[in-house]
Amino acid sequence: MKKTLYLMRHGETLFNQQKKIQGWCDSPLTSKGQQQALIAKKYFETQGIVFKEAYSSTSERACDTLELVTDAPYTRIKGLKEWNFGTFEAEHEYLNPKLPYGDFFAAYGGEKELDFRTRVANTVSDILSQAQSDSILIVSHGAACRQFMRAWEHKSLVEQKSRIGNCCILKFEYDEDEKEFELLEIINHDFSHLEEV
């Protein structure tokens, strides 16, 4: 049996706007972030996609995004949280090292990259293997989405270099028999017309 996973990044937050490092720490959605979520909702409606099952990171920014996108009941799961950046949390982004980060943050109380990737990949796999619906929404975070893509890039033909913007949607097919994911599409909406209120 095949299931479709829509893995989505949250909308713009105050820390995104202020260029602050935001992993396990949190900040609220901006008005622009709320509008982004409503555009994602319209996308799903236009495509005729209705969710009976949804999941979110425990971070407020992910939960608030999901609640704007769908009225479906949802479950909050810690394993879907963003990378733990340790003592760099809430600091300015100019303090980030150059990509790839690797294990840089582990020396400052954060997570090693492969530990983070494994956490997210295992959490999403567990969700899909137990899900009862054939179409599932998960709202998570930018780096979490990217690391999940990397975990399954060997099974995907889609170009992986696209930016994962706020409310970007990654469409995956999950093969229940093989326990494997394939990236089918990356949907980045055009938010250029949106303004902060």
Side-chain angles (χ1 to χ4, degrees), residues 4-17:
T4 305
L5 163 65
Y6 295 92
L7 178 61
M8 181 175 152
R9 185 186 175 198
H10 60 78
E12 183 194 72
T13 67
L14 181 64
F15 277 12
N16 291 154
Q17 197 179 68

Side-chain angles (χ1 to χ4, degrees), residues 12-48:
E12 183 194 72
T13 67
L14 181 64
F15 277 12
N16 291 154
Q17 197 179 68
Q18 295 175 343
K19 307 289 187 208
K20 288 188 174 180
I21 297 169
Q22 184 176 225
W24 281 23
C25 70
D26 210 358
S27 72
L29 295 179
T30 60
S31 59
K32 182 177 180 180
Q34 293 169 350
Q35 293 172 69
Q36 290 169 337
L38 292 174
I39 288 170
K41 175 181 182 170
K42 189 169 184 180
Y43 166 81
F44 288 125
E45 289 174 346
T46 302
Q47 299 295 313

Side-chain angles (χ1 to χ4, degrees), residues 88-185:
F88 280 78
E89 294 279 349
E91 297 292 343
H92 200 281
E93 284 180 1
Y94 66 69
L95 294 175
N96 273 334
K98 289 183 180 178
L99 289 169
Y101 295 153
D103 294 341
F104 175 84
F105 296 105
Y108 301 93
E111 285 177 287
K112 292 182 176 180
E113 183 170 7
L114 287 180
D115 290 347
F116 169 49
R117 183 180 304 169
T118 300
R119 166 171 66 82
V120 173
N122 287 348
T123 300
V124 174
S125 294
D126 288 347
I127 290 170
L128 267 289
S129 67
Q130 296 171 35
Q132 300 301 306
S133 305
D134 59 4
S135 193
I136 294 98
L137 173 66
I138 294 178
V139 180
S140 189
H141 307 270
C145 290
R146 178 67 70 191
Q147 291 295 328
F148 186 74
M149 287 169 68
R150 288 194 178 131
W152 289 101
E153 62 187 348
H154 62 288
K155 296 297 293 181
S156 300
L157 300 175
V158 173
E159 172 62 56
Q160 306 250 339
K161 291 181 181 176
S162 296
R163 182 175 174 270
I164 299 178
N166 291 110
C167 287
C168 174
I169 300 164
L170 306 175
K171 181 180 179 181
F172 287 89
E173 182 179 79
Y174 175 68
D175 187 320
E176 203 166 25
D177 296 325
E178 300 294 327
K179 308 287 189 215
E180 292 180 341
F181 292 85
E182 180 185 352
L183 179 63
L184 302 179
E185 189 178 1

